[in-house]
Amino acid sequence: AHLMPYLLKGLKSKCVDFKRATYLILSHLSNIFTFQPNVRDEILNVMSKVRRWNDSMGSNEKSFLVGLW
């Protein structure tokens, strides 16, 4: 819970390395435990604002979404 503000900030970052690290951390956390619905919804909300959902979605985002569900 204490990491979420920083992870959400990482999703919004323009720094590619910071964003990739954030997806890596979120993916790892999603393998360890299941996110509560409100946390999962907040992550998806931020992702939908940052990135358009189309074929140009990066492999980091796709991998994370597969792991999230």
Side-chain angles (χ1 to χ4, degrees):
H2 299 293
L3 291 175
M4 285 313 297
Y6 302 104
L7 295 173
L8 293 174
K9 183 178 178 182
L11 293 175
K12 298 175 188 176
S13 176
K14 293 182 180 181
C15 176
V16 176
D17 290 335
F18 187 29
K19 191 177 283 194
R20 284 182 182 157
T22 302
Y23 281 114
L24 179 68
I25 292 167
L26 286 171
S27 294
H28 184 68
L29 290 175
S30 69
N31 288 329
I32 295 172
F33 63 90
T34 303
F35 289 114
Q36 294 179 349
N38 61 330
V39 173
R40 186 185 63 225
D41 292 345
E42 182 64 25
I43 292 168
L44 293 173
N45 185 32
V46 170
M47 287 179 69
S48 68
K49 289 179 181 176
V50 172
R51 186 83 137 135
R52 294 216 181 265
W53 300 100
N54 58 26
D55 291 336
S56 66
M57 183 186 297
S59 61
N60 295 321
E61 291 92 341
K62 289 178 185 175
S63 298
F64 172 69
L65 288 174
V66 168
L68 184 63
W69 297 109

